[in-house]
Amino acid sequence: MSKFLGIDTSCYTTSLAVYDSEKGLICEERIILRVKMGGRGLSQSNMVYQHVRNLPVLMQRISPSLGDVSVIGVSSFPRRRADSFMPAFLVGKGLADSLSAAVHIPMYQFSHQENHALSAIREAPELWGKDFYLMHLSGGTQDVLRCAWKQNKIEIQELITTRDITAGQLIDRIGVALGLLFPAGKHLEILAMEGKDKNYVLPMTKILNAFSFSGQENQCLHDIEGNQYNKADIAKGLLCHIGDSLEKELLNYPFEKGTPFVSIGGVMSNLYLKGLVNDICREKMLKPYFASPKYSSDNASGNAFGAFMNYSSRY
């Protein structure tokens, strides 16, 4: 029996996870980074500061499950690209480097995006080694990607991305403007349940093969300031607009039928959007896969699982 430690220090979450070779995921802990009331985000220096403080707390929490860790998996960068860098991930990588050197165990580096994908694959291990589409919707990312495998590493090709802000940023920014806590996703979802259909409608951006939400952000902020719409209706209209944008892009893209379509990221924990994507996949004859809501948002379970799968494949 071997244990695998996963580490992820993202923009708004510090997280650790332990995967057991026989029992699967046995422990997962996270701390959401603190954002001041009314704030819409954090500076990288503040993220680094909070991660440094949070990691010892989380290590203490998971210590009963650690035992003899054989391998470490860590998010070292946002995406697996030469130009992809973010200081927040260096905190987790620094811990992984130190532990690896101190106890002489292997370390595998993943991108934060791969960690998300692996979180979903952990719950559907039959996807390991198979090509699939990946839609990553989070606070900082909005991408539809083609994923292939090369020696247990995921090679990613960008198909559809955003021209400006992401759906996650739109939700957070408008949520804060509506008086909700940051990150605003779950709070906006609850508020939207009280809204009425078609009482608040945002215009669709006329761009093909790309997402764009900056115009809708400006419109929402203007309407909130004007105080002429019910807050719940704005929340409902906002989520409906994001759903309509997904329909426009995904229904028009020439996906290969029968291919798995994996949806990940904090935005995909929204039940309305998840149901909509499921319907789109059915119409496009794709096979939908979702991480459970708990593991759709930022967490380190994908890195722990990825370390296990990479290490196991060597023997």
Side-chain angles (χ1 to χ4, degrees):
M1 181 175 69
S2 300
K3 293 182 179 179
F4 302 81
L5 173 64
I7 304 171
D8 187 70
T9 52
S10 64
C11 286
Y12 297 107
T13 307
T14 315
S15 47
L16 300 176
V18 180
Y19 189 91
D20 186 283
S21 59
E22 295 181 359
K23 300 178 182 178
L25 186 68
I26 59 173
C27 181
E28 188 272 317
E29 293 284 347
R30 66 187 90 171
I31 297 175
I32 306 298
L33 304 190
R34 297 186 304 275
V35 178
K36 291 182 179 179
M37 184 65 183
R40 304 199 310 178
L42 295 169
S43 66
Q44 282 291 316
S45 61
N46 198 318
M47 293 178 199
V48 168
Y49 172 74
Q50 292 195 49
H51 285 316
V52 170
R53 290 177 62 89
N54 290 344
L55 281 174
V57 176
L58 292 181
M59 287 296 287
Q60 185 66 36
R61 290 183 188 175
I62 70 168
S63 60
S65 301
L66 280 174
D68 295 324
V69 171
S70 301
V71 185
I72 301 169
V74 61
S75 299
S76 296
F77 28 76
R79 306 180 189 184
R80 194 173 288 279
R81 294 190 331 208
D83 63 345
S84 185
F85 170 78
M86 193 172 286
F89 292 105
L90 296 182
V91 183
K93 183 178 182 298
L95 174 62
D97 283 331
S98 300
L99 290 173
S100 176
V103 295
H104 307 290
I105 58 176
M107 179 188 75
Y108 291 98
Q109 297 185 58
F110 302 99
S111 70
H112 178 67
Q113 198 167 59
E114 289 166 349
N115 172 50
H116 267 297
L118 290 165
S119 293
I121 293 173
R122 180 184 64 81
E123 297 181 296
E126 68 272 15
L127 290 176
W128 184 269
K130 294 183 179 180
D131 291 356
F132 61 95
Y133 295 111
L134 175 70
M135 185 168 71
H136 184 186
L137 303 185
S138 67
T141 304
Q142 176 135 359
D143 292 324
V144 179
L145 311 159
R146 175 81 192 207
C147 298
W149 295 80
K150 184 177 181 180
Q151 296 179 345
N152 293 326
K153 289 186 178 179
I154 302 174
E155 293 192 333
I156 295 176
Q157 176 191 359
E158 186 178 282
L159 304 179
I160 307 172
T161 188
T162 180
R163 293 286 184 88
D164 37 61
I165 67 171
T166 67
Q169 288 172 316
L170 180 65
I171 288 170
D172 284 334
R173 294 177 182 183
I174 300 309
V176 169
L178 290 170
L180 305 176
L181 293 175
F182 182 98
K186 63 181 180 181
H187 308 297
L188 190 86
E189 182 175 10
I190 292 171
L191 179 61
M193 292 178 183
E194 303 172 11
K196 297 181 179 179
D197 289 333
K198 306 300 182 181
N199 271 17
Y200 185 75
V201 179
L202 290 164
M204 184 62 64
T205 303
K206 297 179 181 180
I207 300 176
L208 293 177
N209 296 325
F211 299 104
S212 175
F213 295 112
S214 60
Q216 287 74 18
E217 177 193 8
N218 293 333
Q219 183 66 53
C220 284
L221 292 175
H222 177 270
D223 293 336
I224 292 170
E225 185 177 349
N227 201 31
Q228 58 183 357
Y229 291 96
N230 179 281
K231 289 185 176 182
D233 288 344
I234 292 177
K236 179 84 170 183
L238 183 67
L239 290 181
C240 288
H241 177 79
I242 293 171
D244 291 344
S245 298
L246 292 178
E247 282 189 322
K248 178 173 75 77
E249 295 304 328
L250 299 181
L251 289 177
N252 284 309
Y253 194 84
F255 294 109
E256 183 179 337
K257 294 179 180 179
T259 304
F261 189 94
V262 181
S263 299
I264 58 171
V267 175
M268 288 313 305
S269 63
N270 182 283
L271 295 179
Y272 164 71
L273 296 177
K274 182 178 179 179
L276 184 67
V277 171
N278 194 60
D279 292 342
I280 293 171
C281 286
R282 187 181 301 112
E283 184 168 345
K284 295 291 288 185
M285 304 180 89
L286 300 169
K287 298 178 181 178
Y289 288 85
F290 301 92
S292 61
K294 180 178 180 180
Y295 297 109
S296 191
S297 56
D298 285 353
N299 71 96
S301 68
N303 287 332
F305 174 72
F308 162 68
M309 292 297 288
N310 275 270
Y311 187 75
S312 300
S313 68
R314 296 170 50 188
Y315 303 99

